Structures are given as C-alpha cells and as structure tokens.
Amino acid sequence: MSTQNFNLPDVGEGLTEAEIVTWKVAPGDDVAINDVICEIETAKSLVELPSPYAGVVGDLLVGEGTTVEVGTPIISFVSDAAPAAATQPPAPAEEPGGSVLVGYGTGAGATSRRTRAAARPVRSSVGVIAKPPIRKLARDLDVDLSSVTPTGADGEVTRDDVMKQASQASVFRNIETPEWGAVREETVPAPKSAPVGLARGVAASGSHGSEARTESIPVKGVRKVSASAMVQSAYTAPHVTVWKEVDATRTMELVKRLKTSPDYADIKVSPLLIVARAVIWAVRRNPMVNAAWVETDGGAEISVRHYVNLGIAAATPRGLLVPNIKDAQDLNMRELARALNRLTLTAREGKTPPADQQGGTITITNIGVFGMDAGTPIINPGEAGIVAMGTISQKPWVVDGEVRPRFVTTVAGSFDHRVIDGDGMSRFIADVASILEEPALLVD
C-alpha cells in the first residue's frame, strides 16, 4: 500500500501556523486535484485548502480546531483502493490499472467533481436556486435563503443578494436580550501554550452548580493579531482625538441621487463613499495625517506618503480586519464605490488576502453602522491617523437663524502626536466635515 502525506503549506507571505477549522473530506473519500479538503484559518484570512492529489483519503492527521505549524502533515492519501469509476480521473495509457496518487501538475485532465457541482445552480426542496458557494456563504452569515429576494437570471440567488440580506438582518440581531446558558462550567480548547483543563473562572456551588458562570475563549487567529497590534499602537503612539459635529444633509441628498443613477445601478452606495472621498481630498490638503513615524538606527524619521492606501476597518465574524484600497487617490467616485464594495464583500466572507491588509496609510472606521455617535479609535499600526464616522440621524439644527430637522453626524479623528500637531489634525477633520456639509467641493 502506498501512502502519501500532505503537509500544511504556506498559503501566505511568512505564514508560520494555521488552525484547521473544518474538514471537507473524510477517510475513504475520493478526491480530485483542487477539490477543497479543508478550511484553515491563518492570522489574517480564512482559506480553502485544495487537494494536491487525486486519490483516496487515508487519515485526517489533525483534528478540527487544532493549530499546527507549516510543514506539519495534516492528511494522508492512499493508493490501495481505486476511486469510483464515475469520478476516477483517466489514468495514462502506459500505467497499470489500479489507483494512483496524482500530484500538482500531472492530472491535467482531472476535473474536480466539487468544481463541476459549483458551476450549476442547485434548487432546494423549498424552491431556492443558488450555487453551492452561495449556499455556503449564506450558512456562514446565518442567512435563510428562503428569505432572500433573488435578482439573478431565472430567479437565482446571487452573492450580492445574500450580502444585502445579511446586512439588513444584522441591524436587528441584538434586539433580544440573550439568556444565560444552562451549563455552569465547561471545558473549551485551550490556547497553544496553556494546559488543557477546565475553563478558567470560579465555579459556584449548591443547587446552581449546573449553570454556566464563566467561559474561556482562546485568543488566536485574527483576534490574536489584532490585539497585539492595538496594544503596540496604544503604547507606542501618543494618541489624541478631536471631533466635530456636522450637518450631512447634502451628503445624504447626494447618496440618494447616486442610488438612482444608471451609472451606479450595479453598485451599492452609502455615505461611507462620500466619507472616503472626503478623507482622500483632505489628505491632499493635510499630507502629514497620511505620514508615519519610523524608527531608525540613528533615531527616528517621519515618512510622508504622497499616495493614499485607504484602510476600511471591517467587523467580521472572525474579528477586526483592516483591508485597504491601494492608490485610492487615483480613483474616481464610481471606481472608489466599486472598490469599497469589493473590499466589504471579501472581508465579510473572510477571504481578504494578507497583501490587502498591508501597506495602509490612513484608516476609516464606520462606527455609525452600530448606532454609535462618536468614538476615540486607536490608530492602525504604521499609520498616523484614523477617522471615525458616527451614525447619521435627523436632529434639530439651526439654519439661517431657524431650527430645522437636518441629518447630523459626528466626525472624529485620532492622531499620532509625534507626527501631527493638534492644529494639523483639526484642519484635517474640519476639511472632512466641510465635504460632508457640501460635497460639491469635490468638484475641483
């Protein structure tokens, strides 16, 4: 019997370890080249790992939820049992009969049965038409496909349909108060360096001994990297925050017009688009907010970037991600809207590649989507400024001596006081506010 182990590869730049999240195969399964065998979580992304072989799965060498180093054997393939004839790739004529393991670059004629399935819409028992990747996305986002309004050809549910439903549902998810669990104490997987055992915490006694009192959540993946970065930023860069209340009524009017424009028919438009354009415009007028403090052998220097890699803080099921749009200063309004759409969809699916999370120069965090008016955000490492956009809601506002209902928001900015002085950041936030008050200033 011939056995071949497959070791965890480096799927990103400098990856050292990853967690096996979900196995997509089981011992005895037939697989083809590029069939997805498992999902792994790295420090930055959730990645589907394809099979490098066509053959039969032997053993799963690593359990789900286990973090292993790159190069560790995670699955074995065997060649003593031939795959089913319907899925067995044709063997070369000169080879004898029986099962063979085919590695990358050799099974050119092999076609993944999962790939073939993914190309066809699948109709469920309740009449929903959706391709397998869309169904998986719906499961990951806890979206009921039967509640989604399809916009695709022949009534097929598209990716955008699922994402729209997920964004609408998220507004109402936290209205009900959750109940305390029925289990008082439980055992959870421990962090890599910690001993395995009961969850940390105090266990109560008496008649309530079966109820949950504490729960331990391992810090790993995106949460671990994000926590480390925030601590580094908070304790190395002296943070200062300024903010300004803004009449954003004309911004909301512009967003409404863009939504009905044929040029934006296939693009999701939100106030974030105008904020992004405002930040790019204001950076050009206040370049130091786009700079960075750089430690050198001789001391330190300030690096001023004459381009904008615009970061957008994204709250995902896996934690905080900050992907950025490269050279955002070169994009027109429509191009920027498309870039924001792609960035948001990719981040929510956990598919943001590491390269998209590196090299940012300034960040926007839209806390308004959570109903927050303002905040004091922590600067993303390697940057000198971050803008927080609060919720936009109608409030009484004095216009020309009269109190009128207007759409009002708060724009806040935290900055690295080593790089920018208070007057510089104040001018920057004032510039952002001026665009939100009068978006026509963007036409210059």
Side-chain angles (χ1 to χ4, degrees), residues 351-435:
K351 304 296 184 182
T352 304
D356 286 358
Q357 301 178 63
Q358 298 169 354
T361 63
I362 189 169
T363 294
I364 298 173
T365 177
N366 185 11
I367 60 175
V369 296
F370 308 113
M372 297 295 102
D373 293 325
T376 56
I378 295 178
I379 303 165
N380 203 34
E383 301 173 15
I386 182 171
V387 176
M389 183 70 182
T391 187
I392 301 177
S393 58
Q394 281 198 317
K395 295 181 180 180
W397 195 262
V398 178
V399 180
D400 297 330
E402 297 181 357
V403 177
R404 302 177 186 174
R406 305 288 285 182
F407 284 100
V408 178
T409 187
T410 301
V411 181
S414 294
F415 60 99
D416 184 342
H417 216 320
R418 298 172 300 177
V419 178
I420 319 168
D421 291 331
D423 62 334
M425 191 63 177
S426 297
R427 285 195 299 270
F428 170 77
I429 291 298
D431 281 343
V432 173
S434 67
I435 294 295

Side-chain angles (χ1 to χ4, degrees), residues 91-102:
E94 67 273 19
E95 292 186 3
S99 174
V100 292
L101 292 175
V102 184

Side-chain angles (χ1 to χ4, degrees), residues 271-310:
L272 179 61
L273 171 61
I274 313 303
V275 176
R277 286 281 288 180
V279 167
I280 296 168
W281 183 83
V283 162
R284 187 172 62 185
R285 292 163 55 88
N286 306 273
M288 292 304 292
V289 76
N290 198 49
W293 181 273
V294 180
E295 299 287 349
T296 66
D297 293 338
E301 63 185 20
I302 296 174
S303 173
V304 182
R305 282 79 67 101
H306 300 293
Y307 60 92
V308 178
N309 288 349
L310 183 63

Side-chain angles (χ1 to χ4, degrees), residues 86-172:
T87 58
Q88 172 71 18
E94 67 273 19
E95 292 186 3
S99 174
V100 292
L101 292 175
V102 184
Y104 287 126
T106 58
T111 303
S112 166
R113 63 184 182 278
R114 289 185 177 86
T115 302
R116 290 195 299 270
R120 299 190 305 269
V122 178
R123 184 180 293 274
S124 75
S125 58
V126 294
V128 177
I129 302 176
K131 295 176 182 177
I134 304 304
R135 292 181 179 278
K136 178 183 181 302
L137 174 62
R139 289 195 301 271
D140 292 345
L141 296 178
D142 195 24
V143 170
D144 179 4
L145 280 176
S146 64
S147 65
V148 177
T149 301
T151 62
D154 300 323
E156 181 181 349
V157 175
T158 68
R159 184 178 302 274
D160 287 346
D161 297 336
V162 174
M163 297 307 303
K164 180 179 179 180
Q165 181 72 15
S167 63
Q168 292 174 344
S170 65
V171 177
F172 303 99

Side-chain angles (χ1 to χ4, degrees), residues 171-209:
V171 177
F172 303 99
R173 252 174 211 152
N174 294 322
I175 291 179
E176 295 184 1
T177 302
E179 297 179 357
W180 289 100
V183 180
R184 190 171 189 79
E185 190 171 81
E186 63 179 321
T187 301
V188 299
K192 187 174 181 180
S193 60
V196 177
L198 291 176
R200 292 186 296 274
V202 180
S205 59
S207 60
H208 300 288

Side-chain angles (χ1 to χ4, degrees), residues 15-40:
L15 176 68
T16 59
E17 63 180 18
E19 177 189 345
I20 306 298
V21 177
T22 306
W23 281 109
K24 302 298 184 181
V25 296
D29 283 357
D30 301 335
V31 296
I33 292 174
N34 288 330
D35 273 358
V36 175
I37 57 175
C38 67
E39 286 183 332
I40 63 173

